[in-house]
Amino acid sequence: MKSPLLTLPGAVPAEGVDEGVAAHYGDLFREQRALADGTGFVDLSHRGVVTVSGPERLTWLHLLLTQHVQDLPPHRATEALILSANGHIEHALYLVDDGETVWAHVEPGTQEALIAYLESMKFFYRVEVADRTADIAVVHLPAGSITEVPEGVAVRETPYGRDLFLPRGDLEAYADKAGPAAGLLAHEALRVEQHRPRLGFETDHRTIPHELGWIGSAVHLQKGCYRGQETVARVQNLGKPPRRLVFLHLDGSEVHLPVPGTELRLAGGEGPDGRKIGFITTSVRHHELGPVALALVKRNVPADAPLLAGDTAAAQETVVEP
């Protein structure tokens, strides 16, 4: 779904999964600084929007999600995952309940599969699941923003800012009041700085929540059964995940960023042809930190080991403990 804000001056369309909104509006670092300072907004109208209503919505979702939502207070934001039977991550939901309806935004293009799964699990529960992507647009206001939120709009208030579920027809008028606009690249740069994983970027077909630090923020360890819970409990109680998320500082002298999927190897004796120990998941240029990235590495890689991302030197910061 193509955003009307792509007509704003300087807008350059994003590509790939984020197609439909702006990657930037002509000045990547200015846009990052604005968000870091608590000004402007990000157009996330390409994301899927799913609602669940009905008197049993929280009780029912509690059975399906990794998060404890049965007693979720109105207007408290949370995150949750849906896992496969083997504990691998299938969906990530960013949700809030407004007292009558649960609002969730999800990765672009994943809402149909999510809704199909939810519909298959309704049984006799009094719930209604709806795809609201066509009429609701997600807008992100950064932490510290004093931009007014329209009355009646569902809002997710988080430490990183506010996500608004705005009627799509109001998007252009709201952008005029909330500017300046910042693109997806600025939003992604701050996400990487904050070490926050993203489904489809930091995940692959075998990712489990422990690898990305989603235990606690999206996975509640004291709740009852849900699909994949056995794997979560076994890894938590008896072992360690096979991989771990790391934050990388990349050599700033390189002209090009290593693209997602670039293989990581130990720097030093083995050289660039040495044993693969991980791969880049997201790489960005940050307005203060320079070129940085998130990556998955094997758990037993020493936390202080210098790495090579292709031919680019990289130094680690621990996100998930070895």
Side-chain angles (χ1 to χ4, degrees), residues 29-302:
F29 291 154
R30 178 192 59 77
E31 295 165 31
Q32 285 186 37
R33 286 191 291 269
L35 293 180
D37 290 340
T39 60
F41 73 96
V42 183
D43 176 12
L44 299 179
S45 62
H46 64 315
R47 291 184 64 81
V49 176
V50 176
T51 59
V52 181
S53 56
E56 297 177 321
R57 64 192 181 281
L58 293 177
T59 301
W60 176 67
L61 285 172
H62 187 77
L63 300 174
L64 306 178
L65 304 181
T66 58
Q67 187 59 273
H68 195 299
V69 297
Q70 182 167 316
D71 302 313
L72 184 68
H75 313 298
R76 179 180 294 177
T78 191
E79 301 175 9
L81 307 175
I82 290 178
L83 307 180
S84 72
N86 293 322
H88 300 139
I89 300 169
E90 292 189 345
H91 294 281
L93 295 80
Y94 301 85
L95 56 90
V96 67
D97 184 83
D98 67 4
E100 297 181 352
T101 300
V102 172
W103 295 80
H105 65 80
V106 298
E107 287 298 324
T110 66
Q111 66 271 17
E112 291 185 5
L114 171 62
I115 289 172
Y117 171 69
L118 295 177
E119 289 286 353
S120 74
M121 301 299 291
K122 283 174 64 172
F123 302 114
F124 299 107
Y125 283 89
R126 293 176 295 165
V127 295
E128 294 295 331
V129 181
D131 184 351
R132 301 295 303 277
T133 310
D135 63 301
I136 298 292
V138 179
V139 172
H140 176 76
L141 300 178
S145 171
I146 60 173
T147 300
E148 182 179 354
V149 175
E151 185 176 353
V153 169
V155 179
R156 292 186 70 251
E157 184 87 36
T158 78
Y160 310 107
R162 288 174 287 174
D163 297 335
L164 280 56
F165 294 86
L166 192 71
R168 193 170 287 274
D170 296 343
L171 183 57
E172 289 183 272
Y174 188 74
D176 289 340
K177 301 176 182 178
L184 252 295
L185 291 181
H187 188 260
E188 284 289 280
L190 299 188
R191 176 181 73 82
V192 170
E193 178 194 11
Q194 296 153 354
H195 304 169
R196 292 188 290 133
R198 183 177 171 190
L199 183 77
F201 287 64
E202 279 60 58
T203 68
D204 57 21
H205 67 283
R206 59 193 180 97
T207 305
I208 60 175
H210 308 71
E211 296 177 322
L212 303 184
W214 254 327
I215 301 299
S217 63
V219 179
H220 195 288
L221 294 175
Q222 306 303 320
K223 62 163 289 185
C225 292
Y226 52 87
R227 190 173 70 174
Q229 188 261 350
E230 295 85 355
T231 298
V232 170
R234 184 168 61 251
V235 173
Q236 185 69 22
N237 296 323
L238 300 176
K240 295 282 189 177
R243 304 177 296 182
R244 60 185 179 88
L245 186 69
V246 297
F247 177 77
L248 299 179
H249 292 272
L250 303 171
D251 181 358
S253 65
E254 297 289 340
V255 175
H256 300 291
L257 287 172
V259 299
T262 299
E263 294 183 351
L264 288 171
R265 291 178 167 81
L266 294 173
E270 293 187 342
D273 297 323
R275 178 173 58 92
K276 176 185 174 184
I277 52 86
F279 59 94
I280 297 287
T281 58
T282 305
S283 58
V284 298
R285 295 191 184 277
H286 190 274
H287 69 288
E288 289 183 340
L289 301 175
V292 292
L294 294 175
L296 278 175
V297 300
K298 293 182 178 180
R299 177 176 57 84
N300 59 1
V301 173

